[in-house]
């Protein structure tokens, strides 16, 4: 899915992609975006594992924390 999203973004000339994830989806999106030379913004919850945060930072993604509105 992230490969298709990134390819579509490149095809229409978008400057980047935006996803909501606190896990592997966000890390994958960030990796594909970095490979394509696009920016990636990830909305992530407070339960994001430290390893995923490290992947996102390594790929240059902008991580925007969101609060848990169900609490």
């Amino acid at each position: 899915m992230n490969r298709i999203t990134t390819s579509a973004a490149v095809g229409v000339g978008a400057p980047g992609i935006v996803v909501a994830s606190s896990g592997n989806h966000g890390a994958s999106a960030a990796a594909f975006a970095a490979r394509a030379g696009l920016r990636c913004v990830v909305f992530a919850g407070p339960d994001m594992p430290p390893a995923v945060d490290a992947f996102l930072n390594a790929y240059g993604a902008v991580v925007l924390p969101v609060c848990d509105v169900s609490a």
Side-chain angles (χ1 to χ4, degrees):
M1 180 190 239
N2 287 320
R3 181 174 60 157
I4 295 167
T5 302
T6 302
S7 295
V10 169
V12 299
I17 60 174
V18 177
V19 299
S21 172
S22 293
N24 292 335
H25 172 62
S28 172
F32 278 109
R35 172 90 176 178
L38 298 175
R39 291 181 293 208
C40 181
V41 175
V42 179
F43 290 100
D47 58 342
M48 181 171 57
V52 174
D53 187 40
F55 288 139
L56 293 172
N57 288 318
Y59 293 126
V62 174
V63 179
L64 299 176
V66 294
C67 63
D68 184 2
V69 295
S70 65

